[in-house]
Amino acid sequence: DHRDLHSFPTRRSSDLWKMEEINDRRLPVGIQSFEKIREGGYLYVDKTDIIWQLANREKTYNYLSRPRRFGKSVLVDTLEAYFLGKKELFEGLKIMQMETEWVKRPVIRLDMSRAGAAPESVRSYLDNAFHQLESEYDIAVRQDSSLADRFDAIIQTAYNKTGLQVAILIDEYDSPLQHSWKTPQHEACTAVYREVFAILKADDKYEKFVFITGITKFTQISLFSVLNNLSNISFEPNYAAICGITKEEVLRDFKPEINKLAEYEGWTFDEAVAQLTAYYDGYHFSRRNMVDVFNPFSLINALSDSDLKNYWASSGATSMLPKFVDNMEIRLKDFENCPVDCDTLETSDVTGGGAELFLYQSGYLTIKGYMDDIYLLGIPNYEVRKALYRIVLPALTLKTNAQVITTQNMLLYSLKLGNLPEAMKCLKALIADVPYSNKKLASMDMEERYRLIMSTIFNAIGCRVEVEKMIATGRIDMVVETTQYIYVLELKLSDNGGVDAAAEQIRAKQYAEPFKADKRKVIALAIELDDRGKGLVDRKSTRLNSSHSRSAYA
C-alpha cells in the first residue's frame, strides 16, 4: 500500500541525516482509509478544522462535487471516524482544539462506486450493504420488503436503539449514473435512486448529517430530485480546499520530498516547487476563495516516485470523456479560455449543461476568473493539458496511437536536442495528407487546420505551446517550448508566399526578439505548407546561439 522512499545517493554526514529523516516518512500512496493513514504513521495533510466546520454546520443535507482521485473518499472516511467518536485517531490534529464531546453516533455509509452501471448491480450492492446494517442493528426483514422500506427501517432503528440522530455518508453517488448514461439501462438506474433515496427526506428527524459526494451532477434524475433542500457546498469559499492540497500545505508538509526531487533533477528547491506547480497545481473551486489547489493523487505519487509523470490521466480519469464531449478534437482550443454563465456552472444538470460543464466537474477545466455572473474556465495545469491533447490526437491525425507513438517520441527527442532535420521529418510524417483527408475540419481554412493539428501534436508530446501569441510587433503563429529550446514558428501556405514569406515575416517583425533574455536557445522556424492539404513542403530556420550575439541559417 505504500512505497518507502529511497535514500539520497551521497555519503556526506549532513545528507545521512536527511536520508534517515526521509526514510522515516511514509506517503499515503493509494490509501483512502483515514484510520490506516493515522495508525500506519503515514503523512496526513491536516484539514480537520474544515471537516469539523462541515460536520457541525446547521444544514443537514450537503453535497460536494470534486474530480475523481481528488481525496473525496478520504474525506468521507475521516467524517465517518469523527461521527463514530474515534478520538484517538485525531490526536495532535487541529480538530482537537474544536471538538469537546466526541459523541459516538450511528453511521450509515454507502460507496456507490462499487455499485456497477446496471440497475441489477445497483440493487445488488444496496441489498448487500443493507443486509450488513440489518445484521448490525438486529433488524428482521420481511421477504417482500423493498429496498426503500429496508433503508427506512435501518435509519429509524439506528436512531431508536442509540437515541442519537444518524450520520449518512454516500460516496461517489453518481458513479452508476455516469457509467449508464447514454445506455438503455440509465433510466432504470435512476428509478432505483428515486425509490431508495426518497427515504432521506422522509426520515429527516432521525438524521444529524447527510453528506453526498460525486463528480458530475445529475440534477433532475437522482438524489437531487428527491432532496430539494440539498445544499451544494462545492463552490463555497469555506470548503474550497477541503479536498486537494494547497501550495501552503505543500511547502509546510513536503519539504524533504521536494528536496529529494530537486536533488535527483539537479534543481533548486524553488525550481522543484515551480515544476510541481506547473504540472499539478492550478485548480480553483470557489470564485470567492481562489486558493490554488494541487491534484493530491498526482502530487503524492510524484513526490513518492521523485518523478513528474501524468499520474491522474493514466489512472483512468479520461474514460468518460467521449460520452459527454462531442467533437472534442475540434473544440479543444475553445476550452483554453472558456466563458460559462454562473447558473450553468453552479446549478445545471451535466446532461444538459454542455461539454464545458462536464469538463469542469470532472477536473479538465477549472475556474480562472469571474466577472459579472460569468466564470472564465481554463485547463488547470500541464498534466491535464497533455492528457487532453493526447486523447484527441488520433482523431485529428486519422491514425491510431500505435501508428504514431514512435514518430511522436522521435519528434519530442529531436526537439529537445534541437535536431531540426529529424524533427521536421517526424512532423512531416504526422501531418501528411491529414488536413486534406480529415473531413471534420472542412469548415476551417487550410492554415487554421494546420495550426490546430500541429499545436495538438506539440501539446500531446509534452511541449508547452502558445498559438497566435501576441507581441508588440504582431502575432506569432506558434511558440513551442522544451527545457532547452524555444521554437518560434511562422506558417505560410505555398500559394501565400511559402517559406520565403514566412522567413521574411519573422525577420521584419522581429518575432524572436521577446525571447532573447531567456537562457534557452531560440530557433525561429519558417514553415511552408501545401495549400491543398498535402502537408509540410519546406522549412527555413534561424538559430540564435546561447549568447544571442549572432544568428545563422540552418
Side-chain angles (χ1 to χ4, degrees), residues 19-20 61 91 127 195 219 234 266 378-379 382 512 521:
M19 290 162 56
E20 291 176 7
Y61 301 94
E91 291 294 339
D127 176 56
E195 170 200 343
T219 339
S234 306
I379 297 173
Y382 176 66
K521 297 181 179 70

Side-chain angles (χ1 to χ4, degrees), residues 186-353:
H186 186 71
E187 181 50 42
C189 275
T190 62
V192 178
Y193 274 70
R194 281 194 293 267
E195 170 200 343
V196 175
F197 294 115
I199 295 304
L200 290 173
K201 187 176 181 182
D203 284 350
D204 174 70
K205 65 181 179 180
Y206 307 113
E207 295 158 358
K208 168 69 174 174
F209 181 79
V210 176
F211 185 62
I212 299 158
T213 78
I215 299 170
T216 46
K217 193 175 175 188
F218 291 85
T219 339
Q220 303 303 319
I221 47 178
S222 60
L223 284 163
F224 292 89
S225 62
V226 296
L227 286 178
N228 53 13
N229 53 349
L230 184 62
S231 175
N232 184 0
I233 68 168
S234 306
F235 295 88
E236 290 191 18
N238 292 348
Y239 306 109
I242 196 168
C243 291
I245 302 173
T246 67
K247 174 69 75 69
E248 181 184 354
E249 290 164 342
V250 170
L251 296 175
R252 183 191 71 202
D253 294 344
F254 296 99
K255 279 183 181 176
E257 289 76 21
I258 297 170
N259 277 318
K260 182 183 176 187
L261 172 64
E263 182 154 339
Y264 275 2
E265 297 292 347
W267 296 330
T268 65
F269 180 86
D270 288 345
E271 286 171 341
V273 171
Q275 289 291 332
L276 289 165
T277 301
Y279 265 79
Y280 308 123
D281 195 14
Y283 284 95
H284 308 103
F285 297 107
S286 171
R287 62 184 173 87
R288 293 192 172 98
N289 181 4
M290 290 286 283
V291 58
D292 279 328
V293 178
F294 283 76
N295 181 320
F297 178 80
S298 296
L299 180 70
I300 295 294
N301 274 280
L303 291 175
S304 176
D305 293 347
S306 296
D307 203 358
L308 303 181
K309 297 178 184 176
N310 280 33
Y311 293 99
W312 187 66
S314 62
S315 72
T318 57
S319 60
M320 289 289 111
L321 275 173
K323 279 193 173 188
F324 292 92
V325 187
D326 295 325
N327 296 326
M328 193 169 75
E329 68 272 19
I330 297 172
R331 301 183 60 195
L332 194 53
K333 66 182 188 307
D334 299 330
F335 301 139
E336 294 275 5
N337 197 20
C338 176
V340 177
D341 70 274
C342 180
D343 286 344
T344 297
L345 197 70
E346 293 188 7
T347 65
S348 289
D349 189 303
V350 69
T351 61

Side-chain angles (χ1 to χ4, degrees), residues 6-48:
H6 301 297
S7 61
F8 288 101
T10 71
R11 294 183 179 179
R12 292 174 300 179
S13 59
S14 61
D15 286 332
L16 289 174
W17 178 81
K18 291 182 191 174
M19 290 162 56
E20 291 176 7
E21 178 192 13
I22 202 164
N23 281 335
D24 286 341
R25 291 165 62 86
R26 308 173 87 188
L27 298 190
V29 176
I31 301 175
Q32 298 181 337
S33 164
F34 175 70
E35 185 169 345
K36 188 170 185 178
I37 290 170
R38 296 294 289 162
E39 290 185 342
Y42 294 91
L43 193 145
Y44 176 71
V45 177
D46 188 358
K47 294 180 182 287
T48 55

Side-chain angles (χ1 to χ4, degrees), residues 378-401:
I379 297 173
N381 54 45
Y382 176 66
E383 178 188 34
V384 175
R385 178 175 284 105
K386 184 177 177 182
L388 283 173
Y389 280 91
R390 277 203 166 177
I391 292 163
V392 304
L393 191 58
L396 272 181
T397 58
L398 304 177
K399 298 177 177 73
T400 65
N401 274 327

Side-chain angles (χ1 to χ4, degrees), residues 498-554:
V499 69
D500 290 330
E504 174 57 24
Q505 186 164 328
I506 290 171
R507 187 198 64 77
K509 297 198 174 184
Q510 298 182 302
Y511 281 171
E513 283 296 313
F515 309 100
K516 281 191 172 182
D518 197 289
K519 294 178 182 178
R520 291 170 290 182
K521 297 181 179 70
V522 181
I523 296 179
L525 182 58
I527 294 180
E528 180 178 335
L529 298 159
D530 182 73
D531 51 89
R532 294 162 298 171
K534 295 294 185 179
L536 196 153
V537 176
D538 197 4
R539 58 96 183 171
K540 187 184 288 185
S541 63
T542 306
R543 183 187 296 252
L544 282 73
N545 68 10
S546 56
S547 66
H548 298 150
S549 61
R550 62 182 178 84
S551 63
Y553 281 101

